[in-house]
Amino acid sequence: MGLVLSREEVRELTGCAQRALQRQHLDALGVPYRVNAQGWPVVLRDAAVKALGGEAANDARHEEATIDMRFLDS
């Protein structure tokens, strides 16, 4: 997973294939972005996750997943 969303991921997030419409929808969602030299929005992955109310899976606050299997000891 890269630092920034791929062009396909931005399209999936916004539901739009056109650059201008993607930027409009990102603005409406409150997702921060920058525009590259070709006019495409560039979105940091962490910024998109935070703007959508989630947490990144690799966030340092997450602990390693475990399964409680104590029930097998009965």
Side-chain angles (χ1 to χ4, degrees), residues 3 11-13 16 24 33 47 51-52 54-56 58 60-61 68:
L3 179 64
R11 183 179 1 211
E12 182 179 344
L13 173 64
C16 305
Q24 288 175 0
Y33 64 92
L52 295 173
E55 295 181 4
N58 61 354
R61 295 173 290 184
D68 183 359

Side-chain angles (χ1 to χ4, degrees), residues 12-59:
E12 182 179 344
L13 173 64
T14 62
C16 305
Q18 297 175 336
R19 296 177 277 210
L21 293 176
Q22 287 179 352
R23 294 191 306 263
Q24 288 175 0
H25 199 74
L26 290 168
D27 288 337
L29 290 172
V31 178
Y33 64 92
R34 296 289 189 258
V35 178
N36 70 14
Q38 297 169 341
W40 291 100
V42 177
V43 180
L44 288 173
R45 186 171 304 282
D46 286 345
V49 170
K50 287 178 185 174
L52 295 173
E55 295 181 4
N58 61 354
D59 192 324

Side-chain angles (χ1 to χ4, degrees), residues 64-71:
E64 184 175 329
T66 60
I67 298 174
D68 183 359
M69 299 184 71
R70 290 179 286 186
F71 69 92

Side-chain angles (χ1 to χ4, degrees), residues 4-15:
V4 298
L5 298 182
S6 69
R7 204 176 279 179
E8 177 62 32
E9 288 173 314
V10 174
R11 183 179 1 211
E12 182 179 344
L13 173 64
T14 62

